[in-house]
Amino acid sequence: MVEGAIWNVITLNFDLALSHALSAIGAKNQVCVINGPEQHHQLGRSNIIYLHRSIDADPEALILTTDALETAWRDKWEAWVATWALAAPVTVFAGLGSSCGVLRHTAEKLRSALGNNVQLLLANPGEHSKSNFATEMQIDKTNYVQLGWIAFMRVLGNRFHLEVVQRIVEECEALSQREGWVDPDTGRLIEDVGELAKRLSSMDILTFGKLRAAWLLESRAYPKLEDSHCIAIADLLLAVAYVSRSCNRGFRFDEDGHVIFTGTDIPESRIRLVDGSSRNYRWLTIESELRLEDQHRRFGREGARHVLACGVTGRRPESATPPESIVDEVDASMSIVDGDSAFSFWGVDDIRIEPQASEALLS
């Protein structure tokens, strides 16, 4: 819903699981939660609609009785909002084992008015022949997905994640062509974009969202992917591929925003990746953000002392500012407060321009 792949979710449940899920990824301001007709004016681009009210509502307003479920909704808010939401090109019913009067009536009206221009599907873990809802809604086998709600959403999330990866791969290819990072003899891209795609595709949508949030220095666990993010991510990924190739190292990504370079009989090198373009960050601002991040890092989680960034405003500093310590002859790594907090900064262009920069980055 944050990405706009789903417009609306209508739930017949009273519990707040969906609302809590939005809070968990920091998306409550991106998706509207409608608990009843009194919040109708808050409808937005994407909405979670509690058709029968949520548990926070007045107990008298909860739709519980047979009469309320089958007939009392007629000419009421429930009928209007169901028609509005189900008028989307594709509607998926999930986890519905029995009839719901307002949904059945709305689906019949839409089919009558729009015919094949509206598609109704049902996701349900049981067999099609045993689904009363499928029979009542006249949903045939071709529009029946034999999956439960959670499994169906995972499949949908993975499908969308692959589309996201493809967008980034295309941006990597376009950037490589634009900058001339192409073998002049074969015309092939110098960096292994296929390997980058493989690493990203192995994640799920939430893991990659958390990784993107770390690169963007976002406080939210899942930021919406913008076109500008794709460009910056492509720049970072191609820099990672360049270091991997030039230093003959393998690599993997950590959801905390790090890339870990690996090699045979060589200590791992942990590099923090940062995109400074989304908020017009300067180097000192990034340093401040990373110091704060170190202070909040979970016990036992290793940080990085080298930073590889793209899109940062201003000249790259030669060393950390302000000074690490005002006390001479003190080993900063022995500090019980934050240990060795010095950062070295590298831009994605630095590693291509400066000789031995990649090796220095991994040192």
Side-chain angles (χ1 to χ4, degrees):
M1 297 189 76
V2 173
E3 298 287 2
I6 297 175
W7 293 350
N8 299 290
V9 170
I10 291 183
T11 177
L12 306 184
N13 296 340
F14 303 122
D15 65 77
L16 302 176
L18 292 174
S19 298
H20 293 328
L22 287 179
S23 297
I25 62 171
K28 289 209 71 173
N29 292 331
Q30 297 172 276
V31 177
C32 301
V33 177
I34 309 300
N35 291 300
E38 68 281 358
Q39 294 181 336
H40 179 79
H41 64 285
Q42 296 178 11
L43 281 168
R45 181 180 61 86
S46 295
N47 308 275
I48 291 177
I49 301 168
Y50 288 89
L51 193 65
H52 292 168
R53 314 300 183 268
S54 74
I55 198 63
D56 286 340
D58 182 343
E60 296 299 324
L62 298 178
I63 297 178
L64 297 169
T65 66
T66 301
D67 176 64
L69 289 170
E70 289 300 320
T71 61
W73 49 265
R74 294 182 182 275
D75 299 322
K76 299 288 181 63
W77 175 78
E78 292 79 13
W80 184 92
V81 78
T83 302
W84 174 76
L86 268 64
V90 178
T91 295
V92 179
F93 300 102
L96 294 171
S98 57
S99 176
C100 174
V102 63
L103 296 182
R104 183 178 67 249
H105 176 74
T106 301
E108 290 171 354
K109 287 178 60 179
L110 288 172
R111 276 192 173 131
S112 176
L114 299 174
N116 293 331
N117 293 316
V118 62
Q119 185 177 12
L120 303 179
L121 298 95
L122 173 61
N124 189 59
E127 296 179 8
H128 176 266
S129 60
K130 297 180 180 179
S131 172
N132 293 331
F133 190 82
T135 302
E136 292 176 357
M137 300 292 288
Q138 299 179 19
I139 296 175
D140 58 26
K141 281 188 176 182
T142 59
N143 291 310
Y144 187 86
V145 182
Q146 194 170 347
L147 290 173
W149 163 251
I150 294 176
F152 175 74
M153 292 307 297
R154 282 178 178 159
V155 170
L156 187 62
N158 290 338
R159 178 66 181 83
F160 182 81
H161 174 60
L162 293 179
E163 291 184 9
V164 168
V165 172
Q166 183 59 34
R167 287 173 61 187
I168 293 172
V169 166
E170 290 174 358
E171 196 59 51
C172 286
E173 293 171 345
L175 180 58
S176 296
Q177 293 286 352
R178 189 164 60 245
E179 297 298 327
W181 300 331
V182 179
D183 188 309
D185 297 325
T186 64
R188 294 181 178 178
L189 303 184
I190 294 176
E191 310 306 346
D192 191 350
V193 175
E195 182 62 25
L196 292 171
K198 180 180 177 181
R199 300 301 174 91
L200 298 183
S201 298
S202 66
M203 306 177 192
D204 59 38
I205 187 172
L206 290 178
T207 300
F208 187 48
K210 186 174 182 179
L211 183 60
R212 293 200 322 268
W215 291 345
L216 297 169
L217 297 177
E218 274 270 8
S219 58
R220 292 174 294 174
Y222 190 96
K224 184 180 185 300
L225 183 68
E226 306 288 354
D227 289 341
S228 59
H229 296 167
C230 290
I231 297 171
I233 290 171
D235 209 2
L236 284 174
L237 292 177
L238 288 172
V240 168
Y242 175 87
V243 173
S244 174
R245 176 177 57 82
S246 61
C247 297
N248 193 27
R249 297 282 195 101
F251 66 90
R252 67 179 187 274
F253 294 108
D254 184 299
E255 65 181 23
D256 284 348
H258 300 98
V259 56
I260 298 95
F261 289 97
T262 60
T264 305
D265 299 326
I266 303 174
E268 293 184 346
S269 299
R270 180 178 289 266
I271 312 299
R272 182 65 162 89
L273 301 179
V274 174
D275 165 34
S277 63
S278 61
R279 296 188 179 182
N280 199 30
Y281 277 127
R282 285 170 166 75
W283 290 104
L284 293 182
T285 306
I286 290 176
E287 180 182 359
S288 176
E289 292 286 337
L290 294 181
R291 286 181 182 276
L292 187 63
E293 180 182 283
D294 267 3
Q295 293 173 13
H296 290 87
R297 191 177 304 281
R298 288 169 291 174
F299 180 76
R301 298 287 291 183
E302 184 181 356
R305 303 274 63 87
H306 294 294
V307 180
L308 179 61
C310 70
V312 184
T313 301
R315 184 177 179 181
R316 175 172 62 91
E318 296 299 326
S319 60
T321 304
E324 288 301 300
S325 175
I326 61 174
V327 181
D328 292 334
E329 300 179 356
V330 173
D331 184 357
S333 65
M334 300 300 292
S335 169
I336 63 173
V337 179
D338 57 5
D340 183 4
S341 58
F343 292 105
S344 63
F345 297 96
W346 302 88
V348 292
D349 293 328
D350 298 328
I351 61 171
R352 298 179 185 276
I353 296 172
E354 299 180 17
Q356 310 302 320
S358 293
E359 291 290 351
L361 179 68
L362 300 181
S363 63

